[in-house]
């Protein structure tokens, strides 16, 4: 299967950009299953994560509620009114991870996640979100964008982006990954249905060097993961994405958890109740048809 690239115009880009953007690229092949060593490593690191001092106190309750959920048949879609306080905002064990249940969970503020053991539904007491008019683009990223060294595209290499996002980071090889083959194939199906979208950065040699992906629900974009193989390329991809999302009428971007980089970009925490109100106001809006195409931005 081949896909056609669509390049966003970046001032100063070389004339060869147009010709390069017409080239086709083969879609990456996603793994069918997690290798035994990778699975064992993930479980070991997941156990170490759960046993950290700030989390170990809630572990007995998590094991108890998870066991009870398994005995009763697990949870199709979580009930927002029946989350547990210990562990915080636990919504049940996932019964079936499908595009339909995933989207249904997102629309009420939940997402499936687990480092080890059965997949579980979670929400957050506070959500890290970006209201698009509040975004901040650093001078460094603006200079990089104006340099013409990179091209930014949408929905041209979705599976390859997902694979890159799942790979260990060179600066932090032991970081846990939640992007198992099960999730990869879920997002690939969501992409083919027009719900999940990727954004890619290509260097002058035509190499994929940065980007990320997420899921759109109405006028809310839920960021899932990003990667960067060259300095600031993920930040460049995000800046172009945010400009397009605002131009297309999106209300906000959900990143779920706090990081210092997100805070510098303009993300801020809002209470769970406020986030759920945003979902009621905007998640039911008609989805923007996919695949997305990069367009001239009015005020980049």
């Amino acid at each position: 299967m081949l896909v056609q690239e669509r390049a966003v115009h970046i001032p100063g880009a070389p004339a060869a950009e147009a010709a390069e953007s017409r080239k086709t690229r083969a879609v990456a092949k996603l793994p069918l299953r997690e290798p035994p060593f990778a699975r064992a490593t993930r479980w070991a690191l997941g156990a170490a994560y759960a046993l950290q001092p700030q989390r170990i106190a809630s572990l007995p309750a998590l094991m108890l509620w998870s066991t009870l959920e398994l005995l009763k048949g697990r949870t199709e879609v979580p009930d927002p009114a029946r989350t547990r306080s210990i562990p915080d905002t636990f919504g049940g064990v996932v019964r079936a991870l499908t595009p339909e249940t995933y989207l249904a969970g997102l629309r009420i503020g939940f997402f499936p996640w687990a480092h080890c053991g059965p997949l579980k539904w979670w929400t957050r007491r506070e959500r890290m979100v970006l209201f698009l008019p509040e975004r901040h683009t650093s001078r460094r990223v603006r200079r990089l964008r104006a340099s013409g060294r990179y091209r930014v595209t949408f929905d041209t290499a979705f599976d390859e982006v997902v694979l890159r996002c799942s790979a260990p980071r060179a600066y932090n090889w032991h970081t846990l990954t939640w992007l198992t083959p099960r999730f990869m194939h879920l997002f690939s199906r969501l992409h083919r249905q027009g719900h999940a979208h990727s954004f890619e950065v290509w260097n002058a040699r035509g190499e994929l060097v940065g980007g990320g992906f997420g899921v759109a629900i109405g006028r809310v974009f839920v960021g899932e993961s990003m990667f960067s193989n060259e300095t600031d390329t993920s930040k460049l991809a995000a800046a172009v994405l945010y400009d397009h999302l605002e131009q297309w009428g999106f209300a906000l971007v959900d990143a779920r958890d706090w990081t210092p980089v997100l805070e510098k970009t303009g993300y801020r925490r809002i209470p769970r109740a406020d986030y759920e109100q945003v979902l009621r106001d905007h998640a039911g809006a008609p989805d923007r048809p996919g695949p997305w195409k990069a367009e001239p931005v009015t005020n980049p």
Side-chain angles (χ1 to χ4, degrees):
M1 179 179 179
L2 298 176
V3 292
Q4 183 73 37
E5 286 189 15
R6 303 176 181 85
V8 63
H9 173 69
I10 298 179
E17 172 188 283
E20 177 66 21
S21 69
R22 288 192 294 270
K23 292 182 180 179
T24 56
R25 295 180 179 274
V27 172
K29 187 174 182 179
L30 299 176
L32 294 177
R33 58 185 61 86
E34 190 175 19
F37 179 76
R39 181 181 177 86
T41 301
R42 178 171 59 83
W43 276 62
L45 292 174
Y49 176 87
L51 293 173
Q52 290 180 355
Q54 67 270 34
R55 299 183 184 90
I56 193 171
S58 64
L59 187 58
L62 177 60
M63 295 175 67
L64 172 62
W65 294 125
S66 296
T67 301
L68 293 175
E69 281 278 324
L70 290 169
L71 291 173
K72 78 175 186 179
R74 309 187 181 194
T75 302
E76 187 75 29
V77 177
D79 181 350
R82 298 186 63 185
T83 57
R84 304 290 177 181
S85 58
I86 302 176
D88 188 25
T89 65
F90 171 67
V93 174
V94 177
R95 178 182 298 172
L97 184 61
T98 66
E100 293 73 26
T101 57
Y102 189 82
L103 291 172
L106 288 189
R107 289 192 175 100
I108 56 174
F110 285 82
F111 56 93
W113 180 80
H115 285 317
C116 56
L119 204 57
K120 307 165 188 72
W121 288 109
W122 300 90
T123 183
R124 289 287 186 262
R125 183 180 299 176
E126 290 187 317
R127 208 73 169 217
M128 196 70 172
V129 302
L130 173 67
F131 292 94
L132 290 161
E134 299 177 6
R135 70 191 184 280
H136 171 71
T137 305
S138 69
R139 292 180 182 176
R140 183 170 175 172
V141 173
R142 290 200 297 268
R143 287 196 299 267
L144 184 64
R145 186 172 180 176
S147 71
R149 291 167 51 196
Y150 297 100
R151 294 181 299 109
V152 180
T153 58
F154 292 101
D155 286 341
T156 66
F158 185 88
D159 287 358
E160 187 173 354
V161 167
V162 171
L163 279 172
R164 299 289 185 93
C165 288
S166 71
R169 304 315 194 227
Y171 57 85
N172 199 7
W173 64 268
H174 59 280
T175 299
L176 282 164
T177 180
W178 56 274
L179 262 175
T180 61
R182 183 183 186 185
F183 271 110
M184 294 182 198
H185 287 278
L186 169 74
F187 288 123
S188 187
R189 289 175 64 189
L190 285 165
H191 174 63
R192 293 194 298 272
Q193 293 174 5
H195 302 295
H197 302 277
S198 61
F199 40 103
E200 308 94 13
V201 180
W202 310 87
N203 65 15
R205 296 184 296 278
E207 299 166 334
L208 180 63
V209 294
F213 72 98
V215 178
I217 45 171
R219 290 189 291 267
V220 175
F221 187 80
V222 180
E224 297 291 354
S225 187
M226 298 185 70
F227 80 97
S228 180
N229 290 346
E230 293 186 10
T231 303
D232 289 334
T233 51
S234 62
K235 296 176 183 177
L236 171 63
V240 173
L241 170 70
Y242 299 154
D243 287 344
H244 280 76
L245 291 178
E246 183 176 41
Q247 184 162 289
W248 293 336
F250 277 73
L252 58 71
V253 180
D254 171 27
R256 294 180 183 141
D257 297 313
W258 178 91
T259 71
V261 173
L262 290 175
E263 190 169 59
K264 290 179 182 178
T265 307
Y267 283 80
R268 57 184 169 92
R269 295 184 179 99
I270 63 172
R272 176 185 170 187
D274 291 356
Y275 180 70
E276 290 176 347
Q277 184 60 53
V278 168
L279 293 176
R280 286 191 289 271
D281 292 341
H282 297 287
D287 291 335
R288 181 177 181 81
W292 286 354
K293 182 172 71 172
E295 303 170 354
V297 177
T298 305
N299 292 303

